[in-house]
Amino acid sequence: MEANGLGSQGFPELKNDTFLRAAWGEDTDYTPVWCMRQAGRYLPEFRETRAAQDFFSTCRSPEACCELTLQPLRRFPLDAAIIFSDILVVPQALGMEVTMVPGKGPSFPEPLREDRDLERLRDPAAVASELGYVFQAITLTRQQLAGRVPLIGFAGAPWTLMTYMVEGGSSSTMAQAKRWLYQRPQASHQLLRILTDALVPYLVGQVAAGAQALQLFESHAGHLGPQLFNKFALPYIRDVAKRVKARLQESGLAPVPMIIFAKDGHFALEELAQAGYEVVGLDWTVAPEKARERVGKTVTLQGNLDPCALYASEEEIGRLVQQMLNDFGPQRYIANLGHGLYPDMDPEHVGAFVDAVHRYSRLLRQN
């Protein structure tokens, strides 16, 4: 590090690297913790900042993204920040129209309906140049963080992005997207390749802009059984990690730890642990000790408190955290929820969760 306290990319020097050390599998003095959707509607200040403009306009404003990313860190001693953005900026950059309908979620007015619709998509190599606003948000946030904690970048995995592009929005069954897998396997692979080709430069661009770790969200893993997952999700999850790492090296950028979070993908835990990611995120349906047995000692685990546990009393949250930390063990572990925070959660209870992780994980190490 240079004497002026600026790191190699001209960013302020990192003061708390606990999250990164845990991600790389190094020993830590306590268990680091962050929360999926920590920048979210449960915070009154988030609702206030967001009230002025529509969702994707917010995503396109580096200043707004920076402010929203930093809000939870002003309240809680979290060990990482995650850039405020959305996984659907990638389909958008590929030329698809996406709107966020209040109370309903994302909507694609013209979803992909047949093979030839893939011709409407832009060249995936051009996607990164469409997403400069995300890179600007990351650089600005990294500067504003002043080295307090690392900044995580993220993207949606190919299958999860495909589900939105084919379904045209959220779905409880993903029947349209799965119909593609069964009726149009070739076109499905073509679409998944296009998405992978878009994601690789996008994730590398996030690191070049200042992201210090990357998380890939396979949020809809649970709609696939083992066969479909191994055919249409896992190969692309592996490919993203392999190609991002190779591209970082070619670009002369330092490696960053990568996290794979495949929600409800418990049937593929062993495969995910060998997919080229340093960290495997778990949802709350997986027993930590069993997960640890299944993935072995080679990866760090992240998770996995049921987000709804935050509706419990602060004392009960403390007990649940204690149990969770006992089950995961002190090292190679990053505490988180098993999914994102919900909008009606009490910020005080989020604070109780973060404090309990820090307090109890220090106690665990003393005994």
Side-chain angles (χ1 to χ4, degrees):
M1 293 286 172
E2 285 88 75
N4 58 8
L6 293 178
S8 52
Q9 284 171 290
F11 290 120
E13 198 173 344
L14 185 59
K15 302 188 198 56
N16 173 2
D17 66 351
T18 311
F19 162 81
L20 292 179
R21 292 167 55 92
W24 286 119
E26 297 166 21
D27 283 2
T28 59
D29 301 333
Y30 65 89
T31 297
V33 57
W34 66 281
C35 296
M36 289 186 272
R37 248 184 263 143
Q38 62 190 31
R41 287 172 291 172
Y42 75 101
L43 290 175
E45 57 269 37
F46 177 97
R47 296 196 296 270
E48 207 173 303
T49 305
R50 277 272 299 106
Q53 53 190 169
D54 91 291
F55 181 81
F56 286 110
S57 308
T58 304
C59 290
R60 283 190 285 273
S61 159
E63 294 72 25
C65 290
C66 175
E67 168 59 23
L68 293 168
T69 302
L70 295 176
Q71 283 174 350
L73 283 116
R74 297 190 190 118
R75 274 192 190 245
F76 316 117
L78 295 154
D79 294 290
I82 182 164
I83 194 67
F84 176 81
S85 186
D86 195 88
I87 65 170
L88 298 181
V89 299
V90 169
Q92 243 178 7
L94 283 167
M96 293 194 77
E97 191 192 333
V98 192
T99 56
M100 195 60 80
V101 183
K104 186 182 162 250
S107 172
F108 289 68
E110 293 183 52
L112 303 175
R113 282 285 168 250
E114 46 197 319
D115 303 24
R116 64 161 187 250
D117 290 343
L118 299 183
E119 292 159 25
R120 302 198 323 238
L121 300 177
R122 288 198 191 114
D123 173 10
V127 163
S129 60
E130 292 284 323
L131 294 171
Y133 59 86
V134 179
F135 305 149
Q136 289 166 0
I138 287 172
T139 302
L140 179 63
T141 305
R142 181 80 193 270
Q143 284 157 348
Q144 298 287 316
L145 270 170
R148 232 178 93 177
V149 293
L151 178 60
I152 305 168
F154 72 92
W159 156 249
T160 293
L161 295 178
M162 172 179 169
T163 61
Y164 284 105
M165 293 162 79
V166 173
E167 295 284 344
S170 305
S171 156
S172 58
T173 61
M174 302 294 160
Q176 293 308 314
K178 289 176 74 177
R179 175 192 286 244
W180 267 57
L181 303 184
Y182 284 111
Q183 292 185 352
R184 302 192 171 89
Q186 264 68 43
S188 297
H189 280 301
Q190 191 190 342
L191 174 53
L192 293 162
R193 272 196 300 273
I194 290 169
L195 287 163
T196 304
D197 290 346
L199 286 167
V200 171
Y202 178 48
L203 289 166
V204 171
Q206 291 189 43
V207 176
Q212 290 150 294
L214 296 169
Q215 178 154 318
L216 195 68
F217 285 86
E218 188 69 282
S219 310
H220 298 161
H223 292 276
L224 302 174
Q227 288 84 359
L228 286 181
F229 187 83
N230 288 340
K231 201 166 164 188
F232 293 102
L234 189 62
Y236 300 98
I237 287 171
R238 283 195 186 122
D239 211 28
V240 167
K242 194 170 94 194
R243 289 170 58 188
V244 166
K245 288 175 179 193
R247 187 84 68 94
L248 287 175
Q249 205 171 357
E250 288 158 22
S251 313
L253 290 163
V256 299
M258 294 181 71
I259 307 165
I260 176 67
F261 176 61
K263 184 163 184 302
D264 298 317
H266 42 79
F267 51 80
L269 253 188
E270 290 85 349
E271 290 81 356
L272 290 166
Q274 289 162 22
Y277 293 77
E278 284 69 32
V279 184
V280 175
L282 302 178
D283 62 63
W284 71 91
T285 65
V286 182
E289 321 94 297
K290 291 203 177 111
R292 187 69 84 184
E293 276 167 36
R294 286 172 61 191
V295 304
K297 295 270 189 287
T298 52
V299 292
T300 292
L301 292 174
Q302 174 176 279
N304 73 339
L305 190 72
D306 180 356
C308 292
L310 298 188
Y311 295 131
S313 69
E314 296 190 19
E315 297 72 38
E316 178 67 8
I317 291 168
R319 281 195 292 276
L320 291 166
V321 164
Q322 193 165 337
Q323 179 68 57
M324 177 174 80
L325 294 180
N326 280 334
D327 291 347
F328 275 105
Q331 301 300 348
R332 272 204 174 274
Y333 172 52
I334 296 162
N336 204 315
L337 303 171
H339 197 223
L341 285 159
Y342 302 147
D344 63 351
M345 287 179 167
D346 182 348
E348 296 290 317
H349 287 214
V350 177
F353 167 65
V354 172
D355 291 341
V357 170
H358 286 156
R359 194 172 60 245
Y360 188 68
S361 65
R362 286 184 191 279
L363 278 175
L364 253 188
R365 282 164 173 71
Q366 285 161 19
N367 299 338

